[in-house]
Amino acid sequence: MSALLVEIKKINKKYNLGSGILNSQKRIVHAVNNIDLQLYRGETLGLVGESGCGKSTLARLIIRLEKPSSGHIFFQGEDIFCYNKERLKTYRRNVQLIFQDPYSSLNPRKSAASIIKEPLIIHHIGKSNEREESVLELMAKVGLNKEQADRYPHEFSGGQRQRIGIARALILRPELIIADEPVSALDVSIQAQILNLLKDLKQDFGLTYLFISHDLNVIRHMSDRIAVMYLGKIVEMAANSDIYNRPLHPYTRMLLSALPSCDPKMKRRSMVIRGEAQMEEAIGCSFQSRCPYKSVICSDAEPLLKEIENNRFCACHFAGSI
């Protein structure tokens, strides 16, 4: 396996929602709950789960847009929450984010070339003519031509705007790209183009991806390994083929059972989707209210994420036996 790039240890993030008019009791939401995760150089790790499970919160913690309630994140062996101002600036040069919404993530008052060039100015990289050259070169790489350089975001389609966002993330030549639902706001006809572009750029620039999505088909196309997240916790983690061919956790099976198929002869996975996620913390397994395999132990003890088979991790009392 390649060298370890990012290591997440026991990371937690809690939000205090305060009290409401009808409820005077304060609510605390555990958005990220005691997560351990490793990201290796050159891989694409897919992070999948329902909306609200904590995927984007984890991304914001990794890029240090938020601070954790507890825990540590190490980048190349250094704790990112111990960085001083200068070191943090270097870190953010190495770790870039591709946003979900290409409409709101671009400054409407700046041209495409200015948006892509701005990180070079902030980090004092290159002379003026060198910056211009780098911008045009990268625009060509992402499928934009130099005639579009002086156009503004409203003059581009959704897919083209996302290409501008991708170019902006790549201009600093980062080591890690966090792609937070990068195609969910795009038309289906454009999604495949952007996904294939991201795969090509990974090879060309030697990138590492943390690819976040709620779409299992997208995750399957992009990822080497997959981590399945439920209510702030990683409940299963394995290689791409292992997750899709033989999921160990009931929640992973539930997600896969919802996947549509174009093949009428293909057998459907026999698992019915039950209920909704319960945000309030409960004793035992967080998935117990929706699980058809629930037993007494599920209400009494929380299952821990552990290695069930070689490089296959699962947080279920019955992993491998259901």
Side-chain angles (χ1 to χ4, degrees):
M1 190 169 279
S2 302
L4 186 63
L5 183 64
V6 177
E7 185 174 19
I8 299 171
K9 288 187 174 181
K10 306 296 180 188
I11 204 79
N12 287 276
K13 180 62 179 178
K14 297 179 181 180
Y15 293 103
N16 188 348
L17 301 184
S19 56
I21 297 174
L22 301 177
N23 188 355
S24 59
Q25 193 172 16
K26 289 185 178 181
R27 288 185 62 213
I28 295 176
V29 173
H30 217 148
V32 174
N33 194 342
N34 209 35
I35 282 181
D36 289 317
L37 198 63
Q38 295 79 37
L39 186 57
Y40 295 92
R41 193 182 298 276
E43 76 165 340
T44 298
L45 176 64
L47 186 61
V48 67
E50 293 170 291
S51 296
C53 71
K55 306 185 298 296
S56 294
T57 301
L58 182 60
R60 290 196 298 271
L61 289 167
I62 294 172
I63 209 162
R64 242 199 81 164
L65 292 177
E66 295 199 32
K67 290 187 177 181
S69 303
S70 63
H72 303 275
I73 297 178
F74 298 93
F75 180 77
Q76 296 178 335
E78 293 183 294
D79 191 336
I80 68 171
F81 299 109
C82 295
Y83 287 157
N84 58 27
K85 188 176 180 180
E86 182 181 344
R87 189 69 188 87
L88 179 59
K89 190 173 182 179
T90 303
Y91 172 69
R92 287 191 169 143
R93 179 177 170 178
N94 286 320
V95 181
Q96 288 290 304
L97 181 65
I98 297 173
F99 295 92
Q100 176 178 356
D101 187 359
Y103 302 92
S104 62
S105 63
L106 303 180
N107 189 334
R109 294 181 175 84
K110 289 193 173 185
S111 66
S114 297
I115 290 169
I116 298 169
K117 183 171 58 177
E118 189 173 18
L120 295 177
I121 297 171
I122 292 170
H123 288 271
H124 309 292
I125 298 172
K127 298 177 181 178
S128 180
N129 62 327
E130 293 172 337
R131 291 170 184 166
E132 299 289 344
E133 188 178 323
S134 296
V135 167
L136 294 177
E137 180 185 335
L138 197 49
M139 285 183 69
K141 276 274 188 185
V142 300
L144 299 169
N145 58 60
K146 62 182 181 181
E147 287 76 21
Q148 296 171 305
D150 294 326
R151 294 182 186 174
Y152 289 83
H154 72 271
E155 299 178 83
F156 293 93
S157 67
Q160 289 172 327
R161 290 174 187 171
Q162 194 59 291
R163 290 172 192 269
I164 295 170
I166 291 169
R168 177 178 57 186
L170 288 177
I171 195 70
L172 294 174
R173 301 298 191 268
E175 295 189 54
L176 172 63
I177 292 284
I178 300 174
D180 188 5
E181 302 268 13
V183 297
S184 63
L186 304 177
D187 292 340
V188 175
S189 58
I190 305 299
Q191 288 185 7
Q193 296 176 24
I194 298 298
L195 293 175
N196 289 331
L197 171 64
L198 288 171
K199 293 190 84 167
D200 292 341
L201 292 171
K202 179 188 173 186
Q203 298 300 320
D204 293 344
F205 290 89
L207 299 168
T208 303
Y209 283 148
L210 175 62
F211 197 95
I212 299 170
S213 181
H214 64 274
D215 189 327
L216 278 158
N217 283 323
V218 169
I219 288 289
R220 185 175 199 169
H221 180 69
M222 292 296 297
S223 306
D224 302 309
R225 286 191 304 136
I226 296 171
V228 181
M229 197 167 179
Y230 184 75
L231 289 184
K233 301 175 183 178
I234 302 297
V235 296
E236 185 167 1
M237 185 164 55
N240 185 321
S241 57
D242 290 334
I243 290 285
Y244 284 88
N245 294 333
R246 192 167 64 88
L248 297 180
H249 198 280
Y251 177 61
T252 311
R253 293 183 63 182
M254 187 190 81
L255 291 177
L256 291 172
S257 70
L259 277 178
S261 174
C262 297
D263 185 359
K265 297 180 181 179
M266 183 178 176
K267 287 187 70 177
R268 300 282 295 171
R269 296 178 187 271
S270 56
M271 179 142 184
V272 178
I273 300 174
R274 297 171 49 166
E276 296 182 358
Q278 303 296 318
M279 299 304 293
E280 291 78 14
E281 289 190 52
I283 299 172
C285 178
S286 57
F287 189 62
Q288 60 180 287
S289 63
R290 305 174 76 184
C291 184
Y293 307 104
K294 178 185 175 182
S295 185
V296 176
I297 191 173
C298 303
S299 302
D300 295 338
E302 179 186 356
L304 301 177
L305 186 70
K306 58 184 179 182
E307 190 169 17
I308 306 300
E309 301 170 5
N310 187 33
N311 292 322
R312 294 206 64 178
F313 298 84
C314 185
C316 178
H317 294 299
F318 305 103
S321 63
I322 56 175

